[in-house]
Amino acid sequence: MARDSARVEAFSDAVIAIVLTVMAVELLQFGPDTPKDKGLAAALAHEWRSYLAYVITFAIVGQIWLTHHNMWRYVVRVDQMLLVFNLALMLFVAAIPFTANQLSDHLRGTDADQQLSAALYVGTVLGEALFFNLSWWWARRRNLLHPDLDPRLAKAVARRYRLGPLLYLIAFAVVFIDPILSLCAYLLLVGLYLIRGPGDLPSTART
């Protein structure tokens, strides 16, 4: 028997909140090679890569939360497989602080280290994007969505979700040109998703 989605949303919100907290602890700190004898300004300037990774990754996780919130507004029931897909999604979300930390640490390393850390990073965001697609596909297939949801809107949401993996792969390809430019590409993608699209909440409250 299928259940309502309230517990799934509460669990997912808790995971994302913990991820954001852990990410701040991982990235907003001085590393062992930070110069401590040149003053605070020099120490902060030395860690600019970590701060850039933090801002971009916070934006990515924030976009994940927004997308998850918007998607689950339409899910009225859950079954076992949808729970599994959501757990897999949270698996990748929970790994984001680790991969973001590796990326910030190796942006000043060798080309091989930069590319490997970027591959780990894109693997996590690509994984969550794929499981977003699987979750929406399964919810539509198993009639777990609100019965009044317009099928045309459901298809439009699916098309928008399918763009995610492709855009993340494009951003990853940029790392072979410039790792910093690749990070900026991720931020641009987040900006695109912040533009209201099919399935998102309305821009203004309706009475």
Side-chain angles (χ1 to χ4, degrees):
M1 179 181 295
R3 303 189 49 162
D4 65 70
S5 62
R7 290 190 66 189
V8 182
E9 291 186 83
F11 169 77
S12 302
D13 285 348
V15 170
I16 292 173
I18 293 170
V19 164
L20 291 174
T21 304
V22 171
M23 187 175 65
V25 173
E26 288 287 332
L27 294 175
L28 299 182
Q29 60 178 321
F30 292 138
D33 59 340
T34 302
K36 299 180 175 61
D37 57 344
K38 297 181 180 180
L40 179 60
L44 291 171
H46 184 268
E47 297 296 332
W48 69 269
R49 295 171 182 83
S50 294
Y51 306 146
L52 178 62
Y54 171 77
V55 170
I56 293 173
T57 308
F58 189 98
I60 289 175
V61 176
Q63 179 262 318
I64 292 171
W65 180 81
L66 285 173
T67 304
H68 194 276
H69 175 72
N70 284 322
M71 186 187 93
W72 282 82
R73 288 190 303 127
Y74 299 107
V75 179
V76 294
R77 297 178 301 126
V78 297
D79 62 8
Q80 185 74 8
M81 188 55 66
L82 186 57
L83 290 177
V84 170
F85 285 151
N86 192 71
L87 276 175
L89 169 60
M90 292 300 114
L91 169 72
F92 285 100
V93 172
I96 287 178
F98 169 75
T99 57
N101 191 38
Q102 297 305 308
L103 185 62
S104 66
D105 284 348
H106 293 94
L107 280 177
R108 60 173 68 92
T110 65
D111 289 345
D113 286 344
Q114 290 176 1
Q115 292 164 9
L116 178 57
S117 61
L120 291 173
Y121 191 77
V122 76
T124 58
V125 294
L126 181 59
E128 58 84 10
L130 290 173
F131 278 102
F132 259 122
N133 279 274
L134 284 172
S135 298
W136 186 251
W137 167 78
W138 184 259
R140 291 177 61 199
R141 181 174 181 268
R142 302 293 293 180
N143 297 317
L144 302 176
L145 302 177
H146 196 286
D148 293 335
L149 178 62
D150 188 337
R152 293 172 297 181
L153 176 58
K155 289 181 180 179
V157 172
R159 286 194 298 270
R160 191 184 190 204
Y161 286 172
R162 285 196 293 268
L163 281 176
L166 175 61
L167 294 176
Y168 284 134
L169 285 174
I170 292 173
F172 170 63
V174 179
V175 78
F176 295 97
I177 302 172
D178 188 323
I180 302 298
L181 185 61
S182 179
L183 277 177
C184 294
Y186 284 113
L187 190 59
L188 176 61
L189 298 184
V190 172
L192 291 176
Y193 268 96
L194 290 179
I195 300 173
R196 185 174 178 270
D200 289 351
L201 285 168
S203 299
T204 56
R206 295 179 180 178
T207 58

